[in-house]
PDB file of all heavy atoms in Angstrom:
ATOM      1  N   ARG A  31      64.995 -53.234  70.621  1.00  0.00           N
ATOM      2  CA  ARG A  31      66.322 -52.790  71.056  1.00  0.00           C
ATOM      3  C   ARG A  31      66.306 -51.406  71.700  1.00  0.00           C
ATOM      4  O   ARG A  31      67.335 -50.949  72.210  1.00  0.00           O
ATOM      5  CB  ARG A  31      67.279 -52.783  69.872  1.00  0.00           C
ATOM      6  CG  ARG A  31      67.004 -51.695  68.828  1.00  0.00           C
ATOM      7  CD  ARG A  31      67.920 -51.877  67.623  1.00  0.00           C
ATOM      8  NE  ARG A  31      67.851 -50.763  66.690  1.00  0.00           N
ATOM      9  CZ  ARG A  31      66.950 -50.655  65.720  1.00  0.00           C
ATOM     10  NH1 ARG A  31      66.039 -51.597  65.587  1.00  0.00           N
ATOM     11  NH2 ARG A  31      66.970 -49.624  64.904  1.00  0.00           N
ATOM     12  N   ARG A  35      72.121 -49.363  69.330  1.00  0.00           N
ATOM     13  CA  ARG A  35      72.517 -49.547  67.933  1.00  0.00           C
ATOM     14  C   ARG A  35      73.198 -50.911  67.804  1.00  0.00           C
ATOM     15  O   ARG A  35      74.262 -51.143  68.385  1.00  0.00           O
ATOM     16  CB  ARG A  35      73.435 -48.425  67.474  1.00  0.00           C
ATOM     17  CG  ARG A  35      72.782 -47.043  67.553  1.00  0.00           C
ATOM     18  CD  ARG A  35      73.690 -45.962  67.007  1.00  0.00           C
ATOM     19  NE  ARG A  35      73.859 -46.081  65.570  1.00  0.00           N
ATOM     20  CZ  ARG A  35      73.046 -45.515  64.671  1.00  0.00           C
ATOM     21  NH1 ARG A  35      71.999 -44.822  65.075  1.00  0.00           N
ATOM     22  NH2 ARG A  35      73.287 -45.643  63.382  1.00  0.00           N
ATOM     23  N   GLN A  56      65.791 -53.872  58.860  1.00  0.00           N
ATOM     24  CA  GLN A  56      65.811 -53.340  60.216  1.00  0.00           C
ATOM     25  C   GLN A  56      67.158 -52.740  60.613  1.00  0.00           C
ATOM     26  O   GLN A  56      67.229 -52.021  61.599  1.00  0.00           O
ATOM     27  CB  GLN A  56      65.459 -54.454  61.206  1.00  0.00           C
ATOM     28  CG  GLN A  56      64.073 -55.014  61.003  1.00  0.00           C
ATOM     29  CD  GLN A  56      63.676 -55.872  62.166  1.00  0.00           C
ATOM     30  OE1 GLN A  56      63.794 -55.469  63.313  1.00  0.00           O
ATOM     31  NE2 GLN A  56      63.200 -57.067  61.889  1.00  0.00           N
ATOM     32  N   VAL A  57      68.215 -53.062  59.906  1.00  0.00           N
ATOM     33  CA  VAL A  57      69.527 -52.594  60.327  1.00  0.00           C
ATOM     34  C   VAL A  57      70.230 -51.735  59.290  1.00  0.00           C
ATOM     35  O   VAL A  57      71.257 -51.135  59.581  1.00  0.00           O
ATOM     36  CB  VAL A  57      70.446 -53.780  60.708  1.00  0.00           C
ATOM     37  CG1 VAL A  57      69.930 -54.484  61.923  1.00  0.00           C
ATOM     38  CG2 VAL A  57      70.584 -54.748  59.548  1.00  0.00           C
ATOM     39  N   ARG A  91      78.693 -45.791  65.557  1.00  0.00           N
ATOM     40  CA  ARG A  91      78.229 -45.683  66.946  1.00  0.00           C
ATOM     41  C   ARG A  91      77.483 -46.952  67.399  1.00  0.00           C
ATOM     42  O   ARG A  91      76.456 -46.903  68.064  1.00  0.00           O
ATOM     43  CB  ARG A  91      77.338 -44.451  67.129  1.00  0.00           C
ATOM     44  CG  ARG A  91      78.082 -43.139  66.889  1.00  0.00           C
ATOM     45  CD  ARG A  91      77.215 -41.915  67.117  1.00  0.00           C
ATOM     46  NE  ARG A  91      76.166 -41.819  66.109  1.00  0.00           N
ATOM     47  CZ  ARG A  91      74.864 -41.793  66.380  1.00  0.00           C
ATOM     48  NH1 ARG A  91      74.452 -41.875  67.633  1.00  0.00           N
ATOM     49  NH2 ARG A  91      73.972 -41.692  65.409  1.00  0.00           N
ATOM     50  N   TRP A 203      65.624 -44.350  73.759  1.00  0.00           N
ATOM     51  CA  TRP A 203      65.641 -43.690  72.456  1.00  0.00           C
ATOM     52  C   TRP A 203      66.303 -42.326  72.520  1.00  0.00           C
ATOM     53  O   TRP A 203      67.002 -41.907  71.615  1.00  0.00           O
ATOM     54  CB  TRP A 203      64.213 -43.517  71.949  1.00  0.00           C
ATOM     55  CG  TRP A 203      63.653 -44.722  71.288  1.00  0.00           C
ATOM     56  CD1 TRP A 203      62.665 -45.532  71.754  1.00  0.00           C
ATOM     57  CD2 TRP A 203      64.057 -45.277  70.034  1.00  0.00           C
ATOM     58  NE1 TRP A 203      62.428 -46.552  70.867  1.00  0.00           N
ATOM     59  CE2 TRP A 203      63.265 -46.417  69.803  1.00  0.00           C
ATOM     60  CE3 TRP A 203      65.010 -44.910  69.084  1.00  0.00           C
ATOM     61  CZ2 TRP A 203      63.386 -47.193  68.656  1.00  0.00           C
ATOM     62  CZ3 TRP A 203      65.138 -45.681  67.940  1.00  0.00           C
ATOM     63  CH2 TRP A 203      64.341 -46.808  67.745  1.00  0.00           C
ATOM     64  N   THR A 206      70.150 -41.814  71.587  1.00  0.00           N
ATOM     65  CA  THR A 206      70.741 -42.005  70.269  1.00  0.00           C
ATOM     66  C   THR A 206      69.958 -41.322  69.162  1.00  0.00           C
ATOM     67  O   THR A 206      70.440 -41.213  68.058  1.00  0.00           O
ATOM     68  CB  THR A 206      70.817 -43.511  69.923  1.00  0.00           C
ATOM     69  OG1 THR A 206      69.498 -44.054  69.964  1.00  0.00           O
ATOM     70  CG2 THR A 206      71.691 -44.248  70.909  1.00  0.00           C
ATOM     71  N   ARG A 207      68.755 -40.900  69.446  1.00  0.00           N
ATOM     72  CA  ARG A 207      67.930 -40.340  68.388  1.00  0.00           C
ATOM     73  C   ARG A 207      68.095 -38.839  68.285  1.00  0.00           C
ATOM     74  O   ARG A 207      67.931 -38.107  69.251  1.00  0.00           O
ATOM     75  CB  ARG A 207      66.456 -40.667  68.663  1.00  0.00           C
ATOM     76  CG  ARG A 207      65.531 -40.112  67.609  1.00  0.00           C
ATOM     77  CD  ARG A 207      64.093 -40.258  68.036  1.00  0.00           C
ATOM     78  NE  ARG A 207      63.692 -41.645  68.016  1.00  0.00           N
ATOM     79  CZ  ARG A 207      62.602 -42.084  68.656  1.00  0.00           C
ATOM     80  NH1 ARG A 207      61.874 -41.260  69.355  1.00  0.00           N
ATOM     81  NH2 ARG A 207      62.280 -43.350  68.588  1.00  0.00           N
ATOM     82  N   GLY A 208      68.454 -38.387  67.113  1.00  0.00           N
ATOM     83  CA  GLY A 208      68.469 -36.961  66.846  1.00  0.00           C
ATOM     84  C   GLY A 208      67.284 -36.696  65.940  1.00  0.00           C
ATOM     85  O   GLY A 208      66.135 -36.950  66.294  1.00  0.00           O
ATOM     86  N   GLN A 209      67.525 -36.218  64.748  1.00  0.00           N
ATOM     87  CA  GLN A 209      66.452 -36.122  63.770  1.00  0.00           C
ATOM     88  C   GLN A 209      66.077 -37.540  63.344  1.00  0.00           C
ATOM     89  O   GLN A 209      66.933 -38.360  63.060  1.00  0.00           O
ATOM     90  CB  GLN A 209      66.907 -35.313  62.554  1.00  0.00           C
ATOM     91  CG  GLN A 209      65.824 -35.109  61.516  1.00  0.00           C
ATOM     92  CD  GLN A 209      66.317 -34.249  60.367  1.00  0.00           C
ATOM     93  OE1 GLN A 209      67.435 -33.741  60.419  1.00  0.00           O
ATOM     94  NE2 GLN A 209      65.500 -34.093  59.352  1.00  0.00           N
ATOM     95  N   LEU A 210      64.792 -37.846  63.325  1.00  0.00           N
ATOM     96  CA  LEU A 210      64.363 -39.207  63.062  1.00  0.00           C
ATOM     97  C   LEU A 210      64.760 -39.658  61.659  1.00  0.00           C
ATOM     98  O   LEU A 210      64.476 -38.970  60.678  1.00  0.00           O
ATOM     99  CB  LEU A 210      62.844 -39.323  63.209  1.00  0.00           C
ATOM    100  CG  LEU A 210      62.308 -39.338  64.640  1.00  0.00           C
ATOM    101  CD1 LEU A 210      60.783 -39.419  64.606  1.00  0.00           C
ATOM    102  CD2 LEU A 210      62.869 -40.497  65.424  1.00  0.00           C
ATOM    103  N   SER A 211      65.406 -40.807  61.606  1.00  0.00           N
ATOM    104  CA  SER A 211      65.719 -41.403  60.313  1.00  0.00           C
ATOM    105  C   SER A 211      64.612 -42.387  59.957  1.00  0.00           C
ATOM    106  O   SER A 211      63.765 -42.740  60.780  1.00  0.00           O
ATOM    107  CB  SER A 211      67.056 -42.154  60.384  1.00  0.00           C
ATOM    108  OG  SER A 211      66.941 -43.267  61.247  1.00  0.00           O
ATOM    109  N   PHE A 212      64.634 -42.865  58.722  1.00  0.00           N
ATOM    110  CA  PHE A 212      63.646 -43.847  58.311  1.00  0.00           C
ATOM    111  C   PHE A 212      63.780 -45.115  59.147  1.00  0.00           C
ATOM    112  O   PHE A 212      62.789 -45.738  59.521  1.00  0.00           O
ATOM    113  CB  PHE A 212      63.822 -44.153  56.826  1.00  0.00           C
ATOM    114  CG  PHE A 212      62.780 -45.088  56.277  1.00  0.00           C
ATOM    115  CD1 PHE A 212      61.440 -44.723  56.274  1.00  0.00           C
ATOM    116  CD2 PHE A 212      63.137 -46.316  55.761  1.00  0.00           C
ATOM    117  CE1 PHE A 212      60.478 -45.584  55.764  1.00  0.00           C
ATOM    118  CE2 PHE A 212      62.183 -47.174  55.251  1.00  0.00           C
ATOM    119  CZ  PHE A 212      60.850 -46.811  55.250  1.00  0.00           C
ATOM    120  N   GLU A 213      65.025 -45.477  59.475  1.00  0.00           N
ATOM    121  CA  GLU A 213      65.249 -46.661  60.294  1.00  0.00           C
ATOM    122  C   GLU A 213      64.646 -46.480  61.677  1.00  0.00           C
ATOM    123  O   GLU A 213      64.037 -47.393  62.232  1.00  0.00           O
ATOM    124  CB  GLU A 213      66.748 -46.943  60.411  1.00  0.00           C
ATOM    125  CG  GLU A 213      67.073 -48.169  61.267  1.00  0.00           C
ATOM    126  CD  GLU A 213      68.556 -48.320  61.479  1.00  0.00           C
ATOM    127  OE1 GLU A 213      69.325 -47.609  60.820  1.00  0.00           O
ATOM    128  OE2 GLU A 213      68.943 -49.148  62.306  1.00  0.00           O
ATOM    129  N   ASP A 214      64.804 -45.263  62.267  1.00  0.00           N
ATOM    130  CA  ASP A 214      64.216 -44.989  63.570  1.00  0.00           C
ATOM    131  C   ASP A 214      62.701 -45.156  63.538  1.00  0.00           C
ATOM    132  O   ASP A 214      62.095 -45.730  64.443  1.00  0.00           O
ATOM    133  CB  ASP A 214      64.552 -43.566  64.028  1.00  0.00           C
ATOM    134  CG  ASP A 214      66.020 -43.394  64.348  1.00  0.00           C
ATOM    135  OD1 ASP A 214      66.640 -44.371  64.789  1.00  0.00           O
ATOM    136  OD2 ASP A 214      66.533 -42.278  64.159  1.00  0.00           O
ATOM    137  N   LEU A 215      62.080 -44.624  62.496  1.00  0.00           N
ATOM    138  CA  LEU A 215      60.632 -44.688  62.392  1.00  0.00           C
ATOM    139  C   LEU A 215      60.154 -46.128  62.244  1.00  0.00           C
ATOM    140  O   LEU A 215      59.151 -46.529  62.846  1.00  0.00           O
ATOM    141  CB  LEU A 215      60.155 -43.856  61.195  1.00  0.00           C
ATOM    142  CG  LEU A 215      60.329 -42.340  61.343  1.00  0.00           C
ATOM    143  CD1 LEU A 215      60.030 -41.656  60.015  1.00  0.00           C
ATOM    144  CD2 LEU A 215      59.410 -41.800  62.429  1.00  0.00           C
ATOM    145  N   LEU A 216      60.874 -46.929  61.460  1.00  0.00           N
ATOM    146  CA  LEU A 216      60.513 -48.335  61.305  1.00  0.00           C
ATOM    147  C   LEU A 216      60.601 -49.069  62.638  1.00  0.00           C
ATOM    148  O   LEU A 216      59.711 -49.834  63.004  1.00  0.00           O
ATOM    149  CB  LEU A 216      61.439 -49.011  60.290  1.00  0.00           C
ATOM    150  CG  LEU A 216      61.122 -48.804  58.808  1.00  0.00           C
ATOM    151  CD1 LEU A 216      62.222 -49.454  57.970  1.00  0.00           C
ATOM    152  CD2 LEU A 216      59.774 -49.375  58.457  1.00  0.00           C
ATOM    153  N   ALA A 217      61.692 -48.823  63.356  1.00  0.00           N
ATOM    154  CA  ALA A 217      61.880 -49.519  64.629  1.00  0.00           C
ATOM    155  C   ALA A 217      60.834 -49.096  65.635  1.00  0.00           C
ATOM    156  O   ALA A 217      60.304 -49.908  66.400  1.00  0.00           O
ATOM    157  CB  ALA A 217      63.286 -49.241  65.171  1.00  0.00           C
ATOM    158  N   GLU A 218      60.534 -47.784  65.685  1.00  0.00           N
ATOM    159  CA  GLU A 218      59.520 -47.299  66.613  1.00  0.00           C
ATOM    160  C   GLU A 218      58.165 -47.904  66.273  1.00  0.00           C
ATOM    161  O   GLU A 218      57.403 -48.309  67.150  1.00  0.00           O
ATOM    162  CB  GLU A 218      59.446 -45.776  66.572  1.00  0.00           C
ATOM    163  CG  GLU A 218      58.498 -45.208  67.634  1.00  0.00           C
ATOM    164  CD  GLU A 218      58.486 -43.694  67.613  1.00  0.00           C
ATOM    165  OE1 GLU A 218      58.459 -43.119  66.518  1.00  0.00           O
ATOM    166  OE2 GLU A 218      58.502 -43.095  68.695  1.00  0.00           O
ATOM    167  N   ALA A 219      57.838 -47.979  64.995  1.00  0.00           N
ATOM    168  CA  ALA A 219      56.580 -48.591  64.579  1.00  0.00           C
ATOM    169  C   ALA A 219      56.538 -50.050  64.987  1.00  0.00           C
ATOM    170  O   ALA A 219      55.494 -50.565  65.408  1.00  0.00           O
ATOM    171  CB  ALA A 219      56.407 -48.461  63.065  1.00  0.00           C
TER     172      ALA A 219
END
Side-chain angles (χ1 to χ4, degrees):
R31 70 186 189 274
R35 299 184 69 88
Q56 298 192 50
V57 294
R91 296 182 292 122
W203 277 110
T206 59
R207 180 189 290 163
Q209 183 177 355
L210 284 178
S211 66
F212 184 63
E213 180 186 350
D214 291 329
L215 291 171
L216 279 175
E218 186 178 43

